[in-house]
Amino acid sequence: MNSLTPFPDRRGGADVVAFHRTELSVILSLYGRMVAAGEWRDYGISSLRDVAVFSVFRRTAENPLYRIEKRPKLRNRQGEYAVISLEGQVLKRGHDLRTVLRVLERKLIRPVE
């Protein structure tokens, strides 16, 4: 009666891609600055079998303005990080997350009146 029953895995034992704590801190730092500037209002995180996605929304009920994707299979090719716009256009792709996110930081720079 002391035998252990393993908890069933509904994903069939497949590994899931997720953002690491250091990656999330970089993304959430940018997210906080954009919320303070009034540009973004909500986000969502998806961890799938081959991609992890951080989606940014202007309003909760809309399609995401930007998707920050992590695809480890592209690590040796174009880079595992990408920023994708609402229309599906890849704005920036690369190996370093901070460098890729600079394309979104430009949105914070505005002329002073």
Side-chain angles (χ1 to χ4, degrees):
M1 289 228 158
N2 276 341
S3 65
L4 297 174
T5 305
F7 192 74
D9 187 12
R10 61 186 172 118
R11 292 184 300 264
D15 291 332
V16 174
V17 176
F19 288 105
H20 191 265
R21 177 181 281 181
T22 56
E23 295 166 336
L24 274 178
S25 69
V26 172
I27 294 170
L28 289 175
S29 172
L30 172 65
Y31 176 77
R33 286 182 279 148
M34 294 299 265
V35 167
E39 296 290 324
W40 298 348
R41 300 206 193 285
D42 199 10
Y43 72 90
I45 299 175
S46 301
S47 296
L48 305 172
R49 186 172 291 176
D50 58 343
V51 63
V53 181
F54 187 94
S55 302
V56 177
F57 299 89
R58 185 171 304 237
R59 291 179 193 82
T60 306
E62 292 183 349
N63 292 329
L65 284 174
Y66 301 104
R67 292 188 331 252
I68 302 166
E69 293 187 354
K70 175 183 177 182
R71 294 183 183 266
K73 288 186 178 180
L74 297 178
R75 181 181 301 131
N76 295 331
R77 295 182 193 152
Q78 301 115 338
E80 65 181 320
Y81 303 107
V83 174
I84 301 172
S85 71
L86 176 65
E87 296 84 22
Q89 178 184 14
V90 177
L91 300 177
K92 184 87 172 168
R93 185 182 301 270
H95 299 283
D96 182 40
L97 182 59
R98 290 182 194 272
T99 306
V100 171
L101 292 180
R102 281 190 199 145
V103 72
L104 297 176
E105 289 178 358
R106 288 188 213 145
K107 306 283 184 197
L108 286 173
I109 300 172
R110 296 183 185 158
V112 178
E113 296 178 6

